[in-house]
Amino acid sequence: MIKDFFRPMDNIRLDKKVVDTIVFNSLNSDNKITELKHKNKRKRITIIAAVAAVLAVIISLSFIINIKSEQTASEKTKNGGYSFTLTANAAEIKNKKLGSNVIGAFEGGSSCGPYLKGQEGVGRYIDWFQQFDLSSFKISGDNIKSVTVSSKTKGVYFNVTPIPKIIEGDISKYNSTQSGLLVTLGGRSVLATNYKTEEEYNKARKEEMKKYSKADTLNNSQYTRNQLTGASYSGFFADFVCDSFTYNNTDKNRVIDLDYVIELTVESVQTKDNNVAKYLKIINEIEENENNYTVGIGNTDRLKKDSCLYKILKAVINKATIDVTVNYYNGKSETKSFALGSYQEDNGWFTWLTLSEM
Amino acid sequence: MNNDVLSRDEAEKIIRKYVDMIFRVAYQNVKNYHDAQDITQEVCIAFVAKNPNYIDDNKLKNWFITVTLNKCRDLHKSAWHRKTEPLNDEIALREPEAFNVVNELWKLTDKYRTVLYLHYFEDLTVDEIASILHKSRNTVGSWLTRGRKKLKKILIEGGTYND
């Protein structure tokens, strides 16, 4: 019988000290949860993202092959006259039947808001911040000196986390004795072998960060930088939280790979929007229902909440664009705008952001 | 329990009674010791913050499971979760061998894993699971049946089960 394989799990327990800590925190503090989480964060090997070695090889080959050749006139025509090309994860989403002008679709998470103190959301995580990893985000072109990515839309800004180059090892050989760092790229585990310690990796990260500049404005958020970074737990751990940033192509790469470097944040704007009020009402209902132990209603309310959150998202990104400006070594520059959009999957459980050519 | 607000001692007693169950439910869902520990802490804090004033034991257990599963879902959707890599921390468990079947459960999709876990490990009835997951009794029943079949296949392929 299958059920014979299910042994009682009464012997699976938390350590007594951990239980004591949980009991103490639960009974004695209104925000010990943050401390515990931060403690556990340190127990993880956390590296924001990585570039796969295979990808690096492909990019390198592409660089070698293409750096000596100028872009042809036909290519420029095909690219709307621009000398650079922006690509994202279009290849991964070709079966999603999105518009032909969509160059990327990025899954978002809705529970990624900061713990804001002194705001309307005192005492709770405001999860109407939705964040989307702009995976496979690359700019290709010859003689690129710098690239500036910017948003002029209120509620739409960037979390930027520079990633140093990673040499990927055999993940299956990872164990406690092997040096190397475990990293994640879009949910895929990667073993970085070119850094023996976190210190080495952090040093490389600092060097990479020097290539970024003008990442100092944050006018699109309704919150201050300190509110977002100082009193927050979830989500806002980027090196730069900004409306706009510039990547300086000091290595003179033909392909500027910003894969998983950019996280686009969409937050609701504090208006008299009915959906915002409705959203707050649903949150309160969820809490009340949980308080009254109305078992089972949580899922329904949460779907309602997600639906409402999606309406807020759509309202914010409707007609929103991001601009990509490329400066060349010959002094010329080009700016191209890309449209944002959205759709939902799996009965509203997951929200996707799209990036389209205009 | 009576209709009054819980005393500190009562709250502590309840937390100590359910803390391991909350941890197990979270662990089978998120597959990570520290995440499960965080969720356990969150659920216990939520319990105290709610200042509950009535409940019977069964409803309380179901409430804990409901809130735990909701928080697991929040974690799965969070940006932090998607961008970090947990250490292999099963070693932190005191009795890791007892998780053998849980390891097989993890090869199932969420819905089958959850109903099998709640039914066999937490001894919840189909009605109780249906209530927690907000699904019909028939749906939970069919998930249990299909989940059992899939688990059986996995166990047979793994050489730990013979027909």
Side-chain angles (χ1 to χ4, degrees):
Chain A
M1 297 284 285
I2 283 287
K3 70 178 181 183
D4 294 336
F5 282 82
F6 293 89
R7 283 170 282 179
M9 295 180 70
D10 293 343
N11 56 341
I12 303 303
R13 295 188 176 90
L14 285 163
D15 188 84
K16 186 179 178 305
K17 283 182 183 174
V18 175
V19 172
D20 289 342
T21 304
I22 287 173
V23 170
F24 180 83
N25 288 346
S26 302
L27 297 174
N28 292 288
S29 171
D30 60 352
N31 198 25
K32 285 286 182 185
I33 191 168
T34 305
E35 288 182 18
L36 187 80
K37 285 192 168 185
H38 284 174
K39 186 181 170 190
N40 280 342
K41 268 188 194 179
R42 289 194 290 272
K43 290 179 182 174
R44 301 158 176 248
I45 292 176
T46 303
I47 298 172
I48 307 306
V51 179
V54 173
L55 196 57
V57 170
I58 293 169
I59 292 168
S60 301
L61 287 173
S62 164
F63 172 75
I64 293 165
I65 292 166
N66 291 311
I67 193 153
K68 293 177 182 176
S69 65
E70 289 294 320
Q71 195 174 28
T72 64
S74 63
E75 281 176 322
K76 286 183 81 168
T77 304
K78 195 177 173 183
N79 195 29
Y82 289 92
S83 297
F84 73 92
T85 305
L86 174 65
T87 55
N89 63 353
E92 299 170 27
I93 56 170
K94 60 184 178 184
N95 295 326
K96 287 186 182 290
K97 294 179 181 174
L98 301 172
S100 59
N101 57 342
V102 174
I103 61 172
F106 316 99
E107 186 186 343
S110 62
S111 298
C112 51
Y115 192 90
L116 292 169
K117 292 176 179 175
Q119 293 290 313
E120 192 172 352
V122 168
R124 66 165 66 127
Y125 294 98
I126 298 295
D127 63 357
W128 57 34
F129 290 70
Q130 302 203 50
Q131 291 175 310
F132 304 86
D133 277 319
L134 301 191
S135 57
S136 304
F137 193 95
K138 297 180 182 69
I139 296 111
S140 312
D142 296 319
N143 303 313
I144 294 176
K145 186 178 181 185
S146 66
V147 174
T148 298
V149 184
S150 60
S151 164
K152 294 187 179 69
T153 307
K154 284 284 181 190
V156 178
Y157 51 92
F158 307 103
N159 284 14
V160 182
T161 309
I163 301 165
K165 285 188 178 176
I166 301 284
I167 296 175
E168 191 179 342
D170 184 353
I171 190 76
S172 67
K173 291 181 180 173
Y174 176 76
N175 57 51
S176 56
T177 57
Q178 180 174 342
S179 57
L181 296 172
L182 208 56
V183 300
T184 302
L185 175 61
R188 184 174 71 92
S189 294
V190 169
L191 182 66
T193 58
N194 51 332
Y195 306 106
K196 303 299 179 193
T197 64
E198 284 193 65
E199 286 72 25
E200 280 182 30
Y201 177 80
N202 288 332
K203 190 179 173 187
R205 243 171 58 73
K206 281 182 184 173
E207 287 302 311
E208 188 68 19
M209 282 168 64
K210 289 177 185 172
K211 297 175 184 173
Y212 292 78
S213 62
K214 297 178 184 173
D216 52 0
T217 63
L218 185 59
N219 298 319
N220 289 341
S221 175
Q222 62 195 300
Y223 303 108
T224 66
R225 190 182 302 279
N226 282 343
Q227 283 175 317
L228 292 180
T229 57
S232 68
Y233 155 63
S234 53
F236 290 85
F237 49 88
D239 295 306
F240 309 111
V241 180
C242 53
D243 305 320
S244 170
F245 67 93
T246 296
Y247 174 85
N248 299 295
N249 190 22
T250 52
D251 298 332
K252 298 188 177 180
N253 292 322
R254 188 177 188 278
V255 179
I256 296 166
D257 187 354
L258 301 178
D259 189 19
Y260 287 101
V261 168
I262 311 167
E263 195 169 59
L264 191 138
T265 299
V266 181
E267 70 177 38
S268 74
V269 179
Q270 296 276 23
T271 64
K272 292 180 180 176
D273 189 320
N274 284 339
N275 284 321
V276 173
K278 193 176 165 188
Y279 176 77
L280 289 171
K281 187 169 175 282
I282 292 172
I283 286 185
N284 288 331
E285 280 174 3
I286 288 174
E287 294 196 346
E288 281 173 18
N289 287 333
E290 288 182 347
N291 193 30
N292 292 328
Y293 305 99
T294 311
V295 175
I297 202 161
N299 286 342
T300 305
D301 277 356
R302 278 165 182 262
L303 283 174
K304 273 164 59 183
K305 184 191 82 169
D306 286 354
S307 170
C308 191
L309 200 57
Y310 181 61
K311 288 175 184 167
I312 294 171
L313 173 93
K314 279 186 77 172
V316 175
I317 66 170
N318 188 28
K319 296 180 182 175
T321 58
I322 62 170
D323 292 342
V324 176
T325 300
V326 173
N327 290 303
Y328 299 95
Y329 276 104
N330 62 9
K332 291 182 180 176
S333 75
E334 292 177 321
T335 298
K336 191 174 180 182
S337 295
F338 297 85
L340 302 181
S342 66
Y343 66 95
Q344 286 194 299
E345 262 190 358
D346 291 340
N347 208 17
W349 275 55
F350 299 103
T351 299
W352 292 74
L353 179 98
T354 58
L355 186 64
S356 307
E357 299 261 12
M358 293 180 73
Chain B
M1 279 193 283
N2 55 37
N3 287 335
D4 297 328
V5 171
L6 279 179
S7 71
R8 184 185 174 88
D9 285 348
E10 285 173 323
E12 179 173 347
K13 198 174 166 185
I14 290 171
I15 289 173
R16 288 192 183 278
K17 179 177 179 181
Y18 286 103
V19 70
D20 288 324
M21 181 207 73
I22 297 166
F23 170 73
R24 290 194 300 264
V25 171
Y27 187 80
Q28 69 84 22
N29 193 291
V30 300
K31 311 177 192 175
N32 176 273
Y33 179 87
H34 295 295
D35 284 339
Q37 187 181 314
D38 282 343
I39 287 169
T40 305
Q41 174 75 90
E42 281 190 45
V43 173
C44 291
I45 285 177
F47 171 72
V48 173
K50 301 301 177 194
N51 212 358
N53 54 14
Y54 76 94
I55 201 68
D56 67 50
D57 237 20
N58 279 340
K59 282 187 177 176
L60 185 57
K61 180 178 179 179
N62 290 0
W63 181 86
F64 273 124
I65 291 173
T66 302
V67 175
T68 304
L69 291 175
N70 281 337
K71 290 194 180 296
C72 290
R73 183 184 163 221
D74 284 346
L75 179 83
H76 286 306
K77 294 180 76 175
S78 74
W80 171 255
H81 181 72
R82 294 198 314 275
K83 298 187 83 173
T84 58
E85 179 65 30
L87 285 166
N88 181 7
D89 51 11
E90 283 179 46
I91 51 172
L93 293 168
R94 298 169 80 189
E95 302 284 348
E97 68 276 8
F99 268 80
N100 286 345
V101 177
V102 176
N103 286 336
E104 306 300 338
L105 279 179
W106 284 339
K107 294 175 183 172
L108 299 174
T109 53
D110 283 357
K111 60 186 180 186
Y112 298 132
R113 186 176 71 238
T114 299
V115 294
L116 283 173
Y117 177 83
L118 294 178
H119 187 61
Y120 287 113
F121 285 114
E122 299 302 336
D123 293 327
L124 295 190
T125 65
V126 170
D127 285 336
E128 286 172 324
I129 297 171
S131 175
I132 285 172
L133 300 179
H134 203 63
K135 297 290 178 188
S136 74
R137 195 178 184 286
N138 286 342
T139 301
V140 172
S142 65
W143 285 1
L144 265 177
T145 304
R146 285 183 218 155
R148 273 194 293 257
K149 283 181 183 172
K150 286 174 182 287
L151 183 63
K152 184 177 172 183
K153 187 169 179 283
I154 291 168
L155 290 171
I156 288 172
E157 286 170 356
T160 54
Y161 183 91
N162 294 311
D163 252 335

